[in-house]
């Protein structure tokens, strides 16, 4: 495999692996927790290194995962005091633990390859140089295998415990009544997030992990209400962002991780504006339609209750305090629908208009 292909493959695997648990973080309104975990697990890596003195030790992963759980526990402990909101608790715990890690690295591990810039930004371009060689056979970039295993673990956990995750996410009280342990599910998910983060650390850095873990799920959230579809869409969107980001980085000769994060933001912005049903354009169009519909109903009800008197355009505009242009548009629209007729500037209800007025009145009473 060429280095270019390996870089794109790693990006796709990491994007999907991060997006899957990220869906549940978004649904639980814990998006910023991912940013906190991706930084504080560095302290777990540093402490585990001080114990093992081996950067390739599996204890580094265990230490990082444990520190991720500790981060969540400390944040929730502060939140339970009700003296701090969750976002404020994150703002205390995250900088505190991360700064300890930076101080320990600069003070006691200055000669060791624990580069804080690489942790934050990552460098996918260097991933193909770290090879996995077994029995003299080159099996490809090591990051492909480590992130691939991580993706399989995430898939397996979500498929096996899908019901528990879904129930604990949307209704933890019901989950508890049915015999599930929502707290156990919660910390299991946080452990999975921590493992995913540390697994992607070396290849892509924490910034891109946050982008892949939150960007695609939030984008998918605007496109569907179905959890299974949201999981699938998140993975697909993350993979596409990774591939497009690599192409953009190659074209512009800039940071690969930066371009992938940028593509994540661009894809979200496009969906935010143009998504059917929930997009900005759809929302503004729906609000305008609702505004016109309500104004039509009010106008018809006014005409229905004042049929004995002759109503002209100026009187209706003054009485209902409607904008002049809006009033003209409403009159033209109701004429087109056959609800009113206009004779010598006098507005009269038709039989169709009376029936529509009665239905509108019934709707108001029932609502």
């Amino acid at each position: 495999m060429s280095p270019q292909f390996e870089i794109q493959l790693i990006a796709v695997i990491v994007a999907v692996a991060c997006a899957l648990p990220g869906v549940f973080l978004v649904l639980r309104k814990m998006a910023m927790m991912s940013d906190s975990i991706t930084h504080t697990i560095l302290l777990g890596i540093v402490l585990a290194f001080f114990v093992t003195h081996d950067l390739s030790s599996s204890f580094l992963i265990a230490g990082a995962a444990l520190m991720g759980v500790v981060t969540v526990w400390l944040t929730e402990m502060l939140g339970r005091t009700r003296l701090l909101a969750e976002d404020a608790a994150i703002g205390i715990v995250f900088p505190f633990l991360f700064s300890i890690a930076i101080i320990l690295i600069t003070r006691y591990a200055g000669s060791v390859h624990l580069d804080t810039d690489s942790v934050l930004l990552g460098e996918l371009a260097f991933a193909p140089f770290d090879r996995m060689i077994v029995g003299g056979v080159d099996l490809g970039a090591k990051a492909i295998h480590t992130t691939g295993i991580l993706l399989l673990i995430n898939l397996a956990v979500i498929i096996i415990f899908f019901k528990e995750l879904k129930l604990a996410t949307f209704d933890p009280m019901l989950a508890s009544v049915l015999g599930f342990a929502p707290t156990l599910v919660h910390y299991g998910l946080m452990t999975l997030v921590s493992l995913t983060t540390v697994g992607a650390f070396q290849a892509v850095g924490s910034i891109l992990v946050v982008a892949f873990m939150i960007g695609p799920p939030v984008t998918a959230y605007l496109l569907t209400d179905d959890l299974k579809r949201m999981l699938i869409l998140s993975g697909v969107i993350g993979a596409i962002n990774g591939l497009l980001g690599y192409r953009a980085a190659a074209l512009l000769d800039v940071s690969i991780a930066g371009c992938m994060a940028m593509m994540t933001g661009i894809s979200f912005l496009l969906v935010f504006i143009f998504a059917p049903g929930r997009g900005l354009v759809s929302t503004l169009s729906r609000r305008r339609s609702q505004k016109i519909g309500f104004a039509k109903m009010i106008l018809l009800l006014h005409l229905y209750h004042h049929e004995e008197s002759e109503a002209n355009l100026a009187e209706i505009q003054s009485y209902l305090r409607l904008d002049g242009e809006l009033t003209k548009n409403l009159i033209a629209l109701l004429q087109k629908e056959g609800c009113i007729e206009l004779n010598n500037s006098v507005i009269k209800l038709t039989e169709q208009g009376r029936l529509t007025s009665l239905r509108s009145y019934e709707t108001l009473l029932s609502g």
Side-chain angles (χ1 to χ4, degrees):
M1 291 186 288
S2 67
Q4 293 81 2
F5 178 78
E6 288 185 332
I7 291 171
Q8 293 177 77
L9 182 59
I10 293 168
V12 168
I13 294 173
V14 170
V16 178
C18 290
L20 293 177
V23 168
F24 295 98
L25 288 179
V26 169
L27 292 175
R28 288 165 173 259
K29 299 180 180 179
M30 297 179 66
M32 287 309 298
M33 186 64 76
S34 65
D35 187 32
S36 179
I37 292 174
T38 53
H39 288 78
T40 58
I41 62 171
L42 179 60
L43 179 57
I45 295 174
V46 173
L47 294 177
F49 171 75
F50 286 157
V51 174
T52 62
H53 298 284
D54 182 7
L55 282 173
S56 60
S57 173
S58 58
F59 284 104
L60 269 65
I61 297 176
L66 181 61
M67 189 54 62
V69 175
V70 169
T71 301
V72 176
W73 179 76
L74 286 174
T75 303
E76 293 184 346
M77 185 183 69
L78 288 175
R80 278 195 293 268
T81 64
R82 304 201 175 183
L83 298 175
L84 291 174
E86 184 179 338
D87 56 346
I90 290 174
I92 295 295
V93 174
F94 153 38
F96 175 68
L97 297 180
F98 186 59
S99 61
I100 292 175
I102 298 300
I103 291 170
L104 290 175
I105 290 175
T106 54
R107 181 67 179 87
Y108 298 107
S111 60
V112 181
H113 183 58
L114 278 173
D115 185 8
T116 53
D117 289 336
S118 295
V119 167
L120 289 172
L121 302 176
E123 188 45 80
L124 268 170
F126 296 150
F129 296 111
D130 188 10
R131 315 298 294 177
M132 176 173 280
I133 300 174
V134 178
V137 179
D138 188 350
L139 299 179
K142 190 181 293 184
I144 294 176
H145 300 279
T146 55
T147 56
I149 292 171
L150 193 66
L151 174 58
L152 292 176
I153 292 173
N154 287 354
L155 280 171
V157 170
I158 289 174
I159 291 171
I160 294 170
F161 298 103
F162 179 77
K163 180 173 63 177
E164 289 81 358
L165 285 166
K166 182 178 181 179
L167 196 56
T169 297
F170 291 107
D171 197 338
M173 291 189 68
L174 177 60
S176 183
V177 169
L178 294 176
F180 297 116
T183 303
L184 184 61
V185 173
H186 172 69
Y187 281 103
L189 177 63
M190 294 303 106
T191 303
L192 195 66
V193 170
S194 299
L195 286 171
T196 303
T197 302
V198 72
F201 238 36
Q202 188 176 4
V204 301
S206 65
I207 291 176
L208 193 53
V209 170
V210 175
F212 280 149
M213 197 167 282
I214 303 304
V218 169
T219 306
Y221 180 74
L222 295 175
L223 296 173
T224 182
D225 289 323
D226 184 84
L227 180 56
K228 291 181 181 178
R229 289 180 183 174
M230 187 175 173
L231 286 164
I232 294 170
L233 274 175
S234 296
V236 171
I237 292 169
I240 292 173
N241 289 339
L243 294 173
L244 292 179
Y246 176 79
R247 297 296 180 185
L251 182 66
L252 301 174
D253 191 23
V254 292
S255 167
I256 298 174
C259 277
M260 289 180 181
M262 180 189 70
M263 282 299 171
T264 301
I266 290 174
S267 65
F268 168 75
L269 185 62
L270 290 173
V271 171
F272 177 77
I273 295 173
F274 300 109
R278 287 183 175 174
L280 185 61
V281 173
S282 297
T283 301
L284 292 176
S285 175
R286 184 168 57 250
R287 287 178 181 174
R288 175 175 172 76
S289 177
Q290 290 171 345
K291 179 182 177 181
I292 292 174
F294 183 74
K296 282 168 55 179
M297 182 175 66
I298 295 299
L299 178 55
L300 287 173
L301 287 173
H302 174 74
L303 292 173
Y304 181 78
H305 287 291
H306 297 82
E307 275 197 288
E308 296 180 358
S309 60
E310 294 185 345
N312 57 42
L313 185 63
E315 289 174 351
I316 289 175
Q317 184 177 331
S318 174
Y319 184 79
L320 297 180
R321 297 181 181 180
L322 294 174
D323 177 73
E325 192 64 30
L326 176 62
T327 307
K328 291 179 182 178
N329 291 337
L330 287 175
I331 296 297
L333 189 60
L334 289 171
Q335 271 188 295
K336 186 177 179 180
E337 294 176 356
C339 293
I340 61 172
E341 54 186 19
L342 196 61
N343 294 321
N344 298 323
S345 300
V346 176
I347 303 170
K348 291 285 187 180
L349 277 177
T350 62
E351 190 61 34
Q352 174 66 28
R354 292 187 188 91
L355 290 173
T356 304
S357 301
L358 287 172
R359 282 197 295 267
S360 300
Y361 189 65
E362 290 172 358
T363 301
L364 284 175
L365 289 177
S366 62

